[in-house]
Structures are given as structure tokens and as C-alpha cells.
């Protein structure tokens, strides 16, 4: 335990974040229908984290069918279906 870590805990090096928002995908596509300051900020955050080697996934109910995926600027968009 002299290395600064608590006994029984492992050191995590991989960082992940998952968001759900349909409009972020519009910003990623540079679509004219994408509006909203919060969504734009989330897209910029997602891109920045992906550029720093974070695993970034965004669940989308519209524009992608359930199970379909698309990667833009290192951010993975995953269709989660409308019932989610």
C-alpha cells in the first residue's frame, strides 16, 4: 500500500462517457435543423473528450435506427430506438 492506492482498488486508465441527445447528432452532421446552445456545448465537449482519448458514446433516438451506429470526429453515435 505504499504506492498511494487503497488496497483492493484497481487503477482505472480508460475514461468513458455516455450521453443521450438527438440534437447533438445534428451538430455533428452540421445539419441546418440542429439548434440549441446546450446541445452545441455537449457536441463540443464530446469532440474534445474524444480527442483526449476518451471513449465517447451518444445514444440517439432519431435519425439512426436501433443498433445502427456512426462515428464522427471520434464520437460514436448509437441508435437506441424510440422506446428508450
Amino acid at each position: 500500500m505504499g504506492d498511494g492506492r487503497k488496497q483492493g482498488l484497481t487503477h482505472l486508465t480508460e475514461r468513458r462517457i455516455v450521453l443521450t441527445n438527438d440534437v447533438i447528432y445534428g451538430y455533428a452532421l452540421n445539419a441546418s435543423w440542429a439548434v440549441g446552445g446546450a446541445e452545441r456545448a455537449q457536441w463540443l465537449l464530446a469532440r474534445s473528450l474524444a480527442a483526449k482519448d476518451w471513449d465517447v458514446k451518444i445514444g440517439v433516438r432519431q435519425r439512426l435506427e436501433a443498433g445502427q451506429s456512426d462515428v464522427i470526429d471520434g464520437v460514436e453515435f448509437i441508435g437506441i430506438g424510440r422506446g428508450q
Side-chain angles (χ1 to χ4, degrees):
M1 283 211 324
D3 64 0
R5 289 183 278 173
K6 293 184 180 180
Q7 186 175 2
L9 298 178
T10 58
H11 184 67
L12 300 177
T13 58
E14 188 171 353
R15 296 189 166 114
R16 298 178 183 178
I17 188 167
V18 177
L19 304 169
T20 57
N21 189 310
D22 295 321
V23 181
I24 299 174
Y25 188 55
Y27 275 105
L29 296 173
N30 201 25
S32 62
W33 52 264
V35 293
E39 290 82 359
R40 182 177 182 274
Q42 289 176 18
W43 168 236
L44 295 174
L45 174 64
R47 282 180 37 194
S48 296
L49 291 173
K52 296 288 185 180
D53 295 325
W54 280 58
D55 182 18
V56 182
K57 298 185 187 316
I58 300 177
V60 178
R61 290 177 293 194
Q62 301 173 5
R63 311 282 177 192
L64 291 175
E65 296 295 323
Q68 184 181 6
S69 67
D70 190 9
V71 177
I72 302 173
D73 290 345
V75 177
E76 184 177 8
F77 294 88
I78 303 169
I80 59 174
R82 295 189 186 270
Q84 303 300 318

